[in-house]
């Protein structure tokens, strides 16, 4: 059963979140793309921490970055070049992917800490009985 959840998490990580965040801002959606790009991997990584597999989070972020990189190479227009002035389109995707990776591992560690505290509380309650 865990393998099914691993596959689902990896498939949901295959969305090019960094590419979509810039694309949605250029399309007039404002910062919603960036919020989605950080929130969805955060949620996915917190679910992966319940399965106790950090490698899924790392592999999923690599897949998302690779697909975003591919999309920028093939689908970025001149508007992207003007929008991503200091870094360029590739640099912007790298910076956004780095933030996504950081928030993913933050979600991993926060969920692990919550689970550890719950297990310590549960064992303390059992000892007191």
């Amino acid at each position: 059963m865990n393998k099914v959840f691993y596959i689902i998490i990896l498939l949901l990580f295959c969305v090019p979140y960094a590419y979509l965040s810039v694309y949605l801002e250029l399309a007039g959606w404002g910062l919603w793309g960036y919020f989605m790009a950080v929130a969805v991997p955060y949620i996915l990584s917190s679910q992966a921490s319940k399965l106790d597999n950090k490698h899924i989070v790392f592999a999923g972020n690599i897949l998302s970055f690779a697909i975003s990189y591919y999309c920028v190479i093939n689908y970025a227009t001149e508007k992207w070049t003007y929008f991503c002035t200091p870094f360029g389109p590739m640099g912007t995707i790298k910076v956004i992917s780095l933030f996504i990776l950081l928030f993913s591992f933050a979600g991993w560690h926060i969920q692990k800490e919550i689970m550890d505290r719950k297990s310590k509380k549960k064992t303390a309650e059992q000892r007191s009985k």
Side-chain angles (χ1 to χ4, degrees), residues 40-98:
V40 174
Y42 179 88
I43 293 168
L44 290 174
S45 63
S46 66
Q47 295 304 312
S49 72
K50 291 179 182 177
L51 300 172
D52 200 29
N53 195 337
K54 192 181 292 187
H55 303 293
I56 294 294
V57 176
F58 188 71
N61 277 299
I62 295 295
L63 280 172
S64 180
F65 171 72
I67 295 169
S68 291
Y69 198 78
Y70 173 80
C71 289
V72 168
I73 290 172
N74 291 315
Y75 304 118
T77 61
E78 287 184 25
K79 192 174 182 181
W80 276 66
T81 307
Y82 293 116
F83 181 75
C84 306
T85 305
F87 301 115
M90 296 299 185
T92 302
I93 294 302
K94 290 176 186 175
V95 169
I96 293 170
S97 294
L98 178 68

